[in-house]
Amino acid sequence: MAELDSVPMIEAIGLSKFYGDFAAIRDISFSVPQGQVAAFLGPNGAGKSTAMKILTGFLSPSEGTARVAGIDVARERTRAAERLGYLPENGPLYPHM
């Protein structure tokens, strides 16, 4: 367990997502240690949702690496998802509640 404690819980390394010439996000890098609460703040269109979709494996990055608990999301999406809970703003559960 001590090994896991030294690994960031969420890590973005040079994440970019391009749609043709349009950059939804460009070269985003940050890390969130285990046990820390973090939030994305910014105006509409800033790339918050795109970054979250990449970090959760719902979208592939054009460039860069997303890791959850040291697990590369693109390579081991299911294993990474076991370590992360995510409910988007317009989540599919709300109409069923």
Side-chain angles (χ1 to χ4, degrees):
M1 189 69 168
E3 180 181 316
L4 184 59
D5 291 338
S6 64
V7 174
M9 188 52 145
I10 301 171
E11 191 172 21
I13 305 163
L15 289 180
S16 295
K17 182 63 178 180
F18 299 102
Y19 296 96
D21 291 336
F22 176 74
I25 59 173
R26 185 188 312 264
D27 197 25
I28 293 176
S29 296
F30 65 90
S31 65
V32 180
Q34 185 174 352
Q36 184 177 38
V37 176
F40 282 141
L41 298 175
N44 290 346
K48 301 177 302 289
S49 294
T50 299
M52 285 303 299
K53 288 175 185 176
I54 291 171
L55 288 166
T56 57
F58 289 101
L59 196 61
S60 297
S62 300
E63 298 174 353
T65 303
R67 293 188 187 122
V68 174
I71 302 164
D72 186 319
V73 176
R75 292 184 183 158
E76 300 183 80
R77 183 185 182 281
T78 303
R79 189 168 160 237
E82 292 172 354
R83 304 285 304 168
L84 182 69
Y86 169 61
L87 180 62
E89 178 181 352
N90 297 319
L93 297 178
Y94 293 125
H96 300 286
M97 294 170 75

